[in-house]
Amino acid sequence: MIITRENVAYYLLSRGLLTFESVVDGDLLIVEATSRNRNFKIIRRDHPGYFVKQVKTFEPQAVETLRYEAACYWLSKNDAEFAPLAALMPKF
C-alpha cells in the first residue's frame, strides 16, 4: 500500500491506531512532511500523535536506509548500549 495524505487515516484505522470517533470528532490533523521519504505527522488533541514514514521508491538502497533507521529505534529501546539514544527518539 502506498501511503498518501488521503489514505493514511484508513491505514491507521486498519491497524487499530485510530478510532472512527477521533476522525469524525475532528481530533485529527494530518500534515504531510515529505522529503526523501513519504512522511506524515498525525496530530491529535486528545490522544497520542504519530509520525508515519514510508520510502518514496522501493529501490533497495531506499528500503535499506529506512530499515537501518528502524533498527536504531528498536535498539534504543531494547539494547542497553543504545539506551542513551532513547531520550532523543520518539517511540517506535
Side-chain angles (χ1 to χ4, degrees):
M1 169 183 203
I2 302 295
I3 298 174
T4 65
R5 187 172 191 280
E6 290 74 28
N7 70 12
V8 70
Y10 294 105
Y11 173 81
L12 295 171
L13 283 163
S14 72
R15 283 156 180 76
L17 298 169
L18 284 181
T19 63
F20 286 103
E21 291 79 16
S22 67
V23 175
V24 173
D25 292 344
D27 181 34
L28 179 66
L29 175 64
I30 300 170
V31 178
E32 188 168 355
T34 296
S35 60
R36 180 177 50 180
N37 295 298
R38 286 184 195 93
N39 302 315
F40 301 93
K41 296 177 188 178
I42 311 304
I43 302 167
R44 300 169 71 199
R45 210 178 24 243
D46 301 323
H47 303 285
Y50 298 103
F51 187 79
V52 178
K53 183 181 274 195
Q54 182 181 54
V55 293
K56 277 186 186 176
T57 63
F58 290 90
E59 296 171 2
Q61 182 179 7
V63 172
E64 280 303 303
T65 299
L66 193 56
R67 187 171 293 151
Y68 287 143
E69 183 178 339
C72 286
Y73 282 102
W74 187 89
L75 285 167
S76 74
K77 302 291 184 198
N78 296 286
D79 187 315
E81 291 185 38
F82 291 86
L85 293 175
L88 305 172
M89 300 178 134
K91 290 182 182 179
F92 176 71

